[in-house]
Amino acid sequence: MVMYYTDETIVYLNGDWIKAADAKTSVYSQSLHYGMSVFEGIRSYEIDGKAHLFRGKEHMERMIFSAKAIGLPFKMQADAMMNIAHELLERNKITAAYIRPLVFASPMMSLSFPEEAQFMMCCWAWSKLLGDKLTKLAISPYRKNHPQSIKTEAKVGGHYVNSILAATEAKSRGYDDALQLDVDGHIAECSGANFFIEKDGVLFTPSRGHILPGLTRDSVLQLCKRNKIEVKQQKIAPHEVFAADSAFLVGTAAEISGVQSLDDQSFKKPWASSIGFNLQKEYEAATRSTHEWERVVYL
Ligand code: PMP
């Protein structure tokens, strides 16, 4: 089993700082039974010896948005959450980390919005999710949840059953990750990352609707704007991916990762001469500097 903590690790739980090993929650939590939880994944990078949360406040705001979207009563402000995140890193003496805030429900078995929410935050050292090697993707038989069935743009625990089914199915066939379609058969996203293709010097990425519109996706869009790289947000059919010059996936954990192949068909352009490769280098530099981003507003 992977261990995310040691005997020394400290977590934040409902206002207290406690050892991870001593953190307890009820087995009657509505979140355990029905997936009623929301969470975030944030990376902190070390800049001049200090921890810097990459677009941290926007991640916290997205969690507030997610909680509201599914009726979890969570009242904390993003600034207070940022303070907790910084203290968490200090207490665990770690600067480059992955930070995981989670809002979950109190004991309740009924299918209604919970009256109380609980808040936990933990962190661990986590290197690049997929490493520097190129990713081999497979088109998944598991389609993304339909936006008329769930709150697509909220980062909800229960949604990730769909991601787990897709990722494990792809891995069982020897691939690194799944590329999932929406119910109409257009490209949506990977199990835990957004997806871009390059064709004739232009980038394409699925438009909003069937995806979690990630902050990394937004960072890539902003970097493209700055570099005058054309990006089209539109519906993409699988055959257009097979005809693309290159492809990459983007997300907090994955950062920007080049894709080698889809269903064993390699992309034509060598990764090192693709637009994605240049963006990967820029993103790497931007995450390790106090680069200013246009803020995303979550409603
Ligand atoms: N899509 C899914 C399904 C994800 O889980 C993630 C990771 N949060 C992303 C996209 C990328 O989002 P972000 O760039 O905000 O991490």
Side-chain angles (χ1 to χ4, degrees), residues 202-255:
V202 177
L203 294 184
F204 297 84
T205 194
S207 36
R208 283 170 71 161
H210 294 263
I211 60 167
L212 183 84
L215 279 158
T216 319
R217 175 181 180 274
D218 178 74
S219 303
V220 168
L221 296 177
Q222 290 193 37
L223 288 176
C224 287
K225 197 168 153 190
R226 200 147 46 99
N227 291 317
K228 301 196 167 43
I229 298 166
E230 192 182 351
V231 192
K232 292 188 176 160
Q233 299 179 52
Q234 61 179 57
K235 287 196 184 303
I236 301 172
H239 72 84
E240 292 173 293
V241 180
F242 288 112
D245 299 327
S246 71
F248 54 97
L249 47 95
V250 309
T252 296
E255 300 181 302

Side-chain angles (χ1 to χ4, degrees), residues 43 98 126-132 171 177 191-193 249 251-255 257:
R43 267 192 194 270
Y98 186 81
W126 211 16
S127 60
K128 241 179 165 7
L129 192 66
L130 298 158
D132 278 323
K171 284 175 189 162
D177 196 11
S191 63
L249 47 95
T252 296
E255 300 181 302
S257 290

Side-chain angles (χ1 to χ4, degrees), residues 136-142 165-180 262-264:
K136 289 182 186 153
L137 289 180
I139 292 188
S140 178
Y142 291 99
L165 289 171
T168 50
E169 192 281 333
K171 284 175 189 162
S172 76
R173 291 192 284 133
Y175 299 98
D176 301 312
D177 196 11
L179 180 60
Q180 294 188 257
L262 177 63
D263 284 352
D264 298 318

Side-chain angles (χ1 to χ4, degrees), residues 27 29 123 136 167 239 285:
V27 292
S29 163
C123 66
K136 289 182 186 153
H239 72 84

Side-chain angles (χ1 to χ4, degrees), residues 59 62 144 155 160 189 191-194 212 214-216 250-252:
H59 275 285
R62 181 167 72 182
K144 274 276 147 186
K155 203 165 164 59
Y160 282 81
E189 59 185 337
S191 63
N194 293 119
L212 183 84
L215 279 158
T216 319
V250 309
T252 296

Side-chain angles (χ1 to χ4, degrees), residues 130-138 174-177 179 190 195-197 241-242 244-249 256-272 274 280:
L130 298 158
D132 278 323
K133 76 174 184 59
L134 299 182
T135 304
K136 289 182 186 153
L137 289 180
Y175 299 98
D176 301 312
D177 196 11
L179 180 60
C190 295
F195 183 71
F196 283 77
I197 54 172
V241 180
F242 288 112
D245 299 327
S246 71
F248 54 97
L249 47 95
I256 296 182
S257 290
V259 177
Q260 181 176 314
S261 57
L262 177 63
D263 284 352
D264 298 318
Q265 187 190 305
S266 294
F267 288 92
K268 296 186 228 36
K269 229 183 200 186
W271 172 241
S274 70
Q280 185 186 47

